[in-house]
């Protein structure tokens, strides 16, 4: 039987550069000869991407916090069964943009549902699968959320324009409206940030906070250093 792979997750507020840093780490690991799977939550599967559109679209109204959390876990359970666990079983490195820590921070703390319900659902629906390493990208909440709002507005406008041009169908497909969470107020994001800090305090061996306030190249070097130190995985640092 092949050795189990490694599961690395990226966490943090939107706009901290999670997707960028995950892509950079994937490239560095592949350059060092590792087999890497890149994925994201909510999403990662055909069913999960449909759920993602419901959860993140700013046109989604009236969704209760409990329904929101249930949809997050529906996407995650399918994601684990279809993508994450098979890749780990084949000895691959799985990099995932968000996992259950996001649900605990956003729904547990941000929506005030509490950590107990999130952790119980994770045990039941996800087999209590835990990342080998979680990288929490940390930067000023106001700056990060502002960056995410601007990015999502640009993507939404591009999708609208692309939808009116048959030559740009892929633009509309890959840049949907994902502004729903960014429309929350400062108090919500303060609670989310506090939720993340509580998780770090509870699980310091798994979660490493990385300063993401500088240039992407600086953050990448820090991420590569953490991965090498915590998991002994070689990566070519660019």
């Amino acid at each position: 039987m092949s050795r189990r792979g490694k599961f690395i997750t990226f966490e943090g507020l939107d706009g901290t550069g999670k997707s960028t840093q995950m892509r950079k780490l994937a490239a560095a690991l592949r350059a060092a000869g590792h087999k890497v799977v890149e994925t994201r939550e909510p999403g990662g599967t055909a069913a999960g991407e449909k759920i993602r559109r419901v959860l993140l679209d700013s046109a989604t109204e009236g969704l209760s916090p409990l329904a929101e959390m249930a949809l997050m876990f529906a996407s995650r359970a399918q994601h684990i069964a279809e993508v994450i666990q098979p890749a780990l079983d084949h000895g691959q490195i799985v990099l995932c943009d968000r996992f259950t820590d996001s649900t605990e921070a956003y729904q547990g703390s941000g929506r005030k549902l509490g950590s107990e319900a999130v952790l119980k659902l994770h045990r039941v629906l996800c087999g209590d699968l835990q990342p080998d390493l979680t990288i929490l990208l940390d930067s000023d909440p106001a700056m990060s959320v502002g960056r995410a709002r601007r990015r999502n507005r640009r993507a939404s406008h591009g999708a609208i324009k692309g939808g009116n041009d048959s030559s740009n169908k892929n633009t509309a497909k890959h840049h949907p409206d994902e502004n729903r969470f960014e429309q929350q107020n400062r108090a919500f994001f303060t609670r989310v940030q506090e939720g993340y800090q509580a998780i770090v305090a509870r699980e310091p061996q798994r979660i490493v906070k990385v300063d993401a306030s500088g240039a992407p190249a600086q953050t990448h070097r820090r991420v590569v250093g953490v991965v090498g130190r915590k998991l002994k995985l070689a990566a070519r640092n660019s």
Side-chain angles (χ1 to χ4, degrees):
M1 181 179 293
S2 62
R3 185 172 57 182
R4 179 188 182 275
K6 296 295 185 182
F7 185 24
I8 302 173
T9 58
F10 283 79
E11 292 287 351
L13 294 174
D14 279 329
T16 53
K18 295 186 304 344
S19 299
T20 297
Q21 292 305 321
M22 193 176 85
R23 286 194 300 270
K24 284 180 172 292
L25 179 60
L29 289 169
R30 289 186 181 116
H34 300 288
K35 293 183 178 179
V36 181
V37 172
E38 298 174 69
T39 190
R40 68 177 184 176
E41 290 203 349
T45 65
E49 291 298 324
K50 292 178 181 178
I51 294 172
R52 181 185 181 90
R53 288 194 288 273
V54 172
L55 283 166
L56 303 188
D57 194 320
S58 61
T60 300
E61 297 179 358
L63 193 64
S64 78
L66 286 171
E68 184 178 274
M69 182 169 66
L71 286 170
M72 290 289 186
F73 273 108
S75 174
R76 184 167 298 127
Q78 183 64 26
H79 194 200
I80 291 170
E82 189 175 331
V83 176
I84 297 173
Q85 194 62 58
L88 293 175
D89 290 344
H90 283 87
Q92 298 175 319
I93 299 172
V94 177
L95 305 183
C96 190
D97 183 345
R98 298 198 179 283
F99 195 58
T100 299
D101 292 324
S102 280
T103 305
E104 187 174 355
Y106 277 78
Q107 283 72 50
S109 295
R111 301 294 194 206
K112 303 181 181 180
L113 295 179
S115 294
E116 183 179 354
V118 175
L119 298 177
K120 184 176 292 185
L121 282 171
H122 184 75
R123 287 192 295 270
V124 172
L125 299 177
C126 304
D128 206 27
L129 175 67
Q130 297 295 329
D132 296 286
L133 171 65
T134 295
I135 295 169
L136 176 62
L137 295 179
D138 188 50
S139 69
D140 178 69
M143 183 183 300
S144 299
V145 174
R147 186 184 303 126
R149 285 170 175 161
R150 291 190 295 273
R151 176 198 65 205
N152 288 341
R153 280 198 297 267
R154 287 195 300 268
S156 298
H157 292 158
I160 292 170
K161 291 179 181 178
N164 293 328
D165 183 348
S166 60
S167 66
N168 287 322
K169 289 181 180 179
N170 288 334
T171 302
K173 178 181 178 182
H174 295 293
H175 295 283
D177 175 354
E178 295 191 347
N179 289 283
R180 182 167 170 267
F181 280 94
E182 279 68 44
Q183 292 178 344
Q184 299 300 310
N185 60 26
R186 180 176 296 182
F188 174 84
F189 288 109
T190 297
R191 292 194 299 271
V192 172
Q193 187 84 335
E194 290 171 350
Y196 273 127
Q197 300 309 319
I199 299 171
V200 173
R202 187 183 72 215
E203 299 190 52
Q205 295 304 311
R206 173 175 67 85
I207 305 174
V208 177
K209 188 159 59 173
V210 172
D211 182 5
S213 60
Q218 293 176 314
T219 305
H220 172 62
R221 286 192 289 272
R222 294 183 184 119
V223 168
V224 168
V226 168
V227 170
R229 185 174 70 252
K230 298 288 287 187
L231 299 182
K232 312 303 181 190
L233 289 174
R236 292 187 181 174
N237 202 338
S238 57

